Amino acid sequence: MKRFSKNLDTSRSHPIRFLMCPPDYFEVVYEINPWMCVERKVDQLKASCQWKALYEFLSAAEGVKVDLIDPVAKLPDMVFTANAGLVHKRLFIRSQFRYGERKGEEPYFEKWFRRKGYITKTVPQPFVFEGEGDALLMNEELYTGFHFRSDVEAHDAVAGYLKKSYFALELQDRRFYHLDTCFAPVSSDTAVFYPEAFAPYAQLTLFETVKDPVEVPQQEALRFACNLIAFEKQIIMPQGCPQTASALTDRGYEVHQLDFSEFMKAGGAAKCLVLKI
Ligand code: ARG
């Protein structure tokens, strides 16, 4: 039986793969979340250095491969590849963005994944799905965030494609508009999150299902402490989050704090810049 198409590199030497998009056209020219303000200009040189630092760190990490998609002019948020969709094995569930400003990204991501041999799916219209921004796998469990961006109806379809049940978490603070701004699975037991970003019932769900919760204080949540990348025993997270960093160090993780100041102007940090593929 042919399981994978030729283009799908599943080589064992790179069990962890991420997709990134160079920030050539990254800027803040519209406002679709409370962090974005067109008057707060992005320093493009700084953004490019910050992106490169992340790219180089990941590329040099053992067992990690970073794939790139070409950036497209006039699609400044394409750099946030976490929102392209959700990948599970050889399936790519493509996003359907809430705002017209990002809809233009959809065909480019779709094309890239098709070319690589993935099976692509979309959620039923008119529902919104913003990929890993609002849907994260913790081990085998699927956690989804809804309210500001993705629709819970879309997550129902996503869970169906993955043949999984899921925990639907309602978000309640606009500043934490995507799940990955306030929740990060780190291992099968440990997850980092900022409880107040979630509606009361969702907070309960998190405390009941996450064996080892790392609660993030508000001032660090506002510095995107939860928007971290975790693989093996490595964590990449934004600077200025000492409490969260030491909680993770205490658990045996190697924590690397990088600067994402320019991307925060658009409402994103470490995690938003990568999609697990
Ligand atoms: N400006 C982008 C937006 O509002 C930021 C996306 C951040 N991505 C994420 N996965 N949280 O859509």
Side-chain angles (χ1 to χ4, degrees):
M1 187 175 82
K2 190 179 168 216
R3 309 255 331 241
F4 297 105
S5 100
K6 265 197 242 129
N7 291 329
L8 197 66
D9 176 5
T10 54
S11 71
R12 276 161 186 257
S13 56
H14 295 118
I16 304 155
R17 301 186 56 175
F18 294 111
L19 177 66
M20 291 182 72
C21 176
D24 303 18
Y25 303 106
F26 172 62
E27 52 181 336
V28 176
V29 284
Y30 51 75
E31 298 173 5
I32 56 171
N33 70 52
W35 300 90
M36 302 175 91
C37 168
V38 291
E39 270 113 55
R40 273 182 75 219
K41 292 280 166 237
V42 166
D43 178 331
Q44 250 129 10
L45 186 63
K46 231 168 139 185
S48 148
C49 292
Q50 292 174 356
W51 183 91
K52 232 173 133 210
L54 175 65
Y55 173 73
E56 280 170 2
F57 184 93
L58 288 173
S59 304
E62 206 183 309
V64 176
K65 181 167 189 293
V66 182
D67 282 7
L68 294 177
I69 182 169
D70 288 335
V72 179
K74 300 208 169 70
L75 294 175
D77 276 339
M78 195 167 166
V79 70
F80 298 115
T81 51
N83 298 119
L86 179 69
V87 176
H88 186 58
K89 298 183 180 158
R90 55 189 302 229
L91 183 66
F92 170 62
I93 307 169
R94 201 210 68 205
S95 288
Q96 261 158 214
F97 285 94
R98 177 155 309 271
Y99 298 114
E101 286 86 343
R102 295 201 66 181
K103 278 200 162 297
E105 299 172 33
E106 293 168 8
Y108 292 99
F109 284 119
E110 170 130 7
K111 209 165 125 203
W112 191 91
F113 280 94
R114 271 187 202 281
R115 251 200 352 247
K116 294 282 174 183
Y118 288 79
I119 296 166
T120 68
K121 299 236 187 236
T122 50
V123 300
Q125 295 284 358
F127 300 117
V128 172
F129 175 55
E130 298 207 348
E132 254 191 1
D134 274 328
L136 291 163
L137 282 158
M138 175 158 172
N139 204 17
E140 282 306 305
E141 305 283 5
L142 178 64
Y143 287 82
T144 66
F146 68 96
H147 189 156
F148 301 112
R149 292 298 189 85
S150 302
D151 294 318
V152 73
E153 292 87 343
H155 293 146
D156 223 49
V158 169
Y161 294 143
L162 301 185
K163 299 193 177 59
K164 285 184 183 295
S165 58
Y166 66 106
F167 297 113
L169 307 170
E170 187 180 351
L171 304 173
Q172 66 170 7
D173 181 331
R174 273 190 185 282
R175 295 169 299 178
F176 303 97
Y177 58 96
H178 275 144
L179 179 67
D180 71 358
T181 63
C182 48
F183 171 78
V186 163
S187 72
S188 50
D189 290 343
T190 307
V192 169
F193 57 89
Y194 171 55
E196 287 74 21
F198 295 89
Y201 188 80
Q203 293 187 24
L204 215 67
T205 306
L206 285 172
F207 284 113
E208 277 190 5
T209 60
V210 176
K211 282 199 200 111
D212 175 32
V214 177
E215 277 186 62
V216 172
Q218 188 188 57
Q219 72 275 20
E220 296 193 5
L222 289 169
R223 286 188 210 119
F224 285 83
C226 303
N227 201 250
L228 57 79
I229 303 169
F231 58 95
E232 314 269 294
K233 281 297 204 188
Q234 308 288 324
I235 307 270
I236 304 169
M237 64 184 295
Q239 292 172 345
C241 307
Q243 207 169 307
T244 311
S246 76
L248 291 164
T249 310
D250 290 347
R251 285 165 172 79
Y253 290 95
E254 222 177 280
V255 178
H256 309 272
Q257 301 186 61
L258 302 183
D259 188 4
F260 296 100
S261 63
E262 297 315 297
F263 299 100
M264 287 184 197
K265 292 177 181 169
K271 173 64 198 81
C272 304
L273 294 170
V274 304
L275 175 68
K276 199 148 193 301
I277 62 171

